[in-house]
């Protein structure tokens, strides 16, 4: 400061008096008050944004400052909050108003306890308000004796805790609470105590490892565990855990689901999914798994397929229950006839398979097949029934005959098919020519499908003759196929293909419609006979087809005869019997074809509503030379007379046959002697025949398959 400035300041001081000094003091006080107010406003603003209620009390317990949340929490008493008002007074007024229901009936004690907590804060405590809310109070003394208090509305938290307690105690699942820090079980619900067999004192306070089989686990408990029950037994459980805050401490909630029975059920289901229910052998699923395993190892092995001979006859004569027992015994014999490293499986029906690891030593394989088939040839004694069967077999060897599961099984199946074609008890290895035969059959199937679609199948008619008058009394409708390359193909060759592929349905429907429409234009005393395949009854609605054919053609029902074979009747199913009875109810005749060749023909005549029987041509052809054939024909004729059935002789080729049959009393006959099967126009040249009926939809193409037979 220079001399001029110092002089100026000196003159200013000399001019100050008492008044001016007083004004300056007041100004300083105002500035200090404004600063204090500003500080208080800033403090209020700061505490007003806090989610908790905040209150400041002076050493005498009077209000200094509180935030908005504090007023909201104590909204019933907010009108009492004033700077300088004492907390004890607001509490007393609140008690008188009933703001604190927990004080009811013990007002003085409640007040004394509350003021003691205020004077010497120790730990947070709760306070219940009249509207049901719960307030958590935490207070702390400052150095000058003043108090700062926090208020938190924990109503929702308390509801959650109460809800948890309710869920915990009443939960049907065993549940435990344990302390994450000490690993001690804090609590167990009633379901846990009951399921595990522990008394409360035996589990609460114990290390959580008491539940676990073996060493106590560490880390995450979630997942599968074996738990020890109070009686020492163990159960399999799936645990679900969740960390949570409970009563101010970190706890872990553990829910235990006992999956012991489920695991056992899963094991049973797993076993059932991979084993045959009837025999207990591995099934097709496990068989394929083993094949895939061996193929992945690139090790040689063989597949041996066995098909029981004469099994169908057992089912038909003794019933499916006895057939099932036979399959069980056969499975036991097969299993005991193979090596320990081999695997026997049942693929279905009466078909079994053996997987034989090792090189394709045909002598060793043939010897093993012989052991199995010899075991199956030994008589089976089931409930006093001596049953004799055998088995045919086919084999394919990997990698010689294929390196894929399906290809090997196909080749083994072809070998078995070839074996059965040679007769019973035959064994064949796969040969490439067998596949060529399969391809030829597939080509024939495709050609047959095209023939059906293009209308290349035709219906011819062979006359049925009344022997007494010599007149033609009817015709049998017979299917003919003139192949563009092979010429006429026998129905014995293509009908089985049609049955295997599902083509027999639309073909049979077409023949029935064609025959009825043609016959409707013939004389009224001429009948028409139509053969029906057993497959049509099993997979189609024969009665509906007959009704449609009769309605579309206008043919009288009594002029139609349906010819069926014994193969259809063996099942004696309700569906087949219902269809046959329905046909007879229409007035349509039923004829049993090839009578005398089956072992149950007589019983079928009693069980089904036949109107005619046809003597098989094998007896007629031997009629002149065989006394046995004559006796059989006489017996059939006598049976037909006693049952009131018309009897027709098939395969009549000579005039002498006609003479014999007339003398024996046979009513009708058919055969080359009377005429071969010819188009309708040959027999009725003056009749205008109807166009071919509309073709029914064809089934999807399917590869030819060997017919499967068997029981369960």
């Amino acid at each position: 400061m220079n001399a001029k400035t110092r002089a100026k300041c000196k003159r200013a001081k000399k001019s100050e008096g008492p008044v001016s000094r007083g004004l300056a003091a007041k100004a300083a006080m105002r500035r200090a008050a404004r600063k204090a107010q500003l500080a208080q406003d800033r403090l209020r603003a700061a505490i007003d944004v806090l989610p908790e209620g905040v209150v400041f009390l002076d050493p005498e317990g009077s209000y200094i400052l509180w935030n908005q949340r504090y007023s909201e929490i104590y909204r019933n008493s907010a009108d009492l909050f004033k700077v300088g008002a004492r907390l004890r007074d607001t509490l007393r007024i609140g008690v008188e108003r009933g703001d604190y229901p927990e004080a009811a009936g013990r007002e003085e004690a409640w007040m004394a306890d509350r003021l003691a907590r205020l004077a010497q804060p120790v730990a947070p405590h709760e306070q219940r308000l009249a509207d049901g809310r719960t307030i958590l109070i935490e207070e702390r003394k400052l150095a000058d004796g003043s108090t700062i208090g926090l208020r938190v509305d924990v109503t929702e938290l308390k509801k959650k805790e109460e809800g948890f307690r309710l869920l915990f105690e009443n939960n049907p699942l065993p549940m435990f609470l344990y302390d994450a820090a000490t690993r001690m079980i804090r609590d167990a619900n009633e379901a846990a105590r009951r399921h595990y067999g522990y008394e409360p004192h035996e589990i609460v306070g114990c290390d959580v490892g008491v539940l676990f089989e073996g060493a106590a686990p560490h880390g995450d408990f979630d997942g599968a565990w074996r738990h020890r029950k109070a009686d020492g037994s163990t159960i399999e459980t799936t645990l679900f855990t969740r960390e949570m805050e409970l009563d101010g401490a970190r706890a872990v909630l553990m829910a235990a689901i006992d999956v012991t029975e489920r695991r056992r059920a899963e094991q049973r289901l797993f076993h059932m999914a991979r084993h045959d229910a009837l025999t207990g052998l591995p099934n097709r699923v496990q068989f394929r798994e083993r094949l895939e395993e061996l193929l992945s190892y690139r090790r040689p092995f063989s597949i041996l397929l066995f098909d029981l001979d004469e099994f169908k006859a057992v089912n038909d004569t003794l019933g499916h229950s006895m057939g099932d027992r036979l399959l069980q015994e056969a499975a036991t014999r097969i299993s005991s006839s193979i090596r320990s490293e081999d695997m026997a499986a049942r693929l279905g029906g009466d078909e079994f398979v053996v997987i034989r690891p090792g090189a394709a030593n045909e002598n060793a394989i043939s010897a093993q097949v012989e052991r199995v088939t010899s075991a199956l040839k030994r008589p089976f004694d089931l409930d006093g029934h001596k049953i004799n069967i055998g088995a045919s077999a086919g084999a394919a060897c990997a990698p010689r005959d294929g390196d894929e599961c399906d290809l090997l099984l196909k080749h083994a199946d072809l070998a078995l098919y070839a074996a059965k074609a040679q007769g019973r008890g035959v064994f064949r290895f796969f040969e490439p020519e067998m596949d060529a035969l399969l391809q030829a059959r597939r080509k024939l199937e495709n050609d047959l499908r095209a023939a059906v679609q293009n209308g290349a199948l035709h219906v011819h008619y062979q006359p049925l003759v009344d022997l007494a008058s010599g007149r033609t009394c009817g015709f049998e409708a017979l299917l003919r196929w003139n192949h563009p390359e092979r010429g006429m193909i026998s129905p014995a060759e293509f009908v089985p293909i049609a049955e295997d592929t599902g083509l027999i349905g639309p073909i049979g429907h077409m023949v029935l419609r064609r025959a009825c429409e043609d016959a409707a234009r013939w004389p009224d005393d001429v009948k028409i006979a139509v053969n029906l395949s057993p497959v049509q009854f099993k997979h189609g609605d024969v009665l509906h087809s007959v009704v449609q054919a009769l309605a579309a053609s206008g043919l009288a029902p009594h002029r139609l005869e349906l010819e069926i074979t014994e193969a259809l009747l063996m099942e004696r199913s309700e569906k087949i019997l219902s269809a046959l009875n329905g046909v007879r109810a229409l007035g349509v005749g039923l004829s049993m074809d090839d009578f005398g060749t089956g072992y149950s023909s007589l019983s079928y005549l009693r069980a089904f509503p036949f109107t005619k029987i046809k003597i098989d041509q094998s007896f007629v052809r031997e009629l002149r030379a065989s006394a046995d054939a004559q006796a059989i024909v006489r017996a059939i004729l006598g049976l037909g007379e006693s049952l009131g059935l018309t009897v027709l002789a098939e395969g009549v080729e000579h005039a002498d046959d006609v003479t014999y049959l007339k003398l024996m009393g046979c009513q009708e006959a058919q055969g080359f002697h009377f005429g071969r099967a010819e188009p309708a126009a040959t027999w009725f040249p003056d009749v205008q025949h109807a166009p071919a009926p509309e073709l029914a939809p064809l089934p999807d193409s399917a590869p030819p398959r060997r017919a499967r037979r068997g029981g369960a």
Side-chain angles (χ1 to χ4, degrees), residues 104-123:
R106 51 184 294 269
E107 290 82 359
E108 293 302 326
W110 184 87
M111 280 290 298
D113 179 70
R114 178 66 187 90
L115 294 175
R117 289 175 181 270
L118 178 62
Q120 295 292 332
V122 178

Side-chain angles (χ1 to χ4, degrees), residues 638-650:
L639 180 65
E641 182 179 5
S642 64
L643 295 177
L645 303 176
T646 301
V647 180
L648 180 147
E650 298 180 287

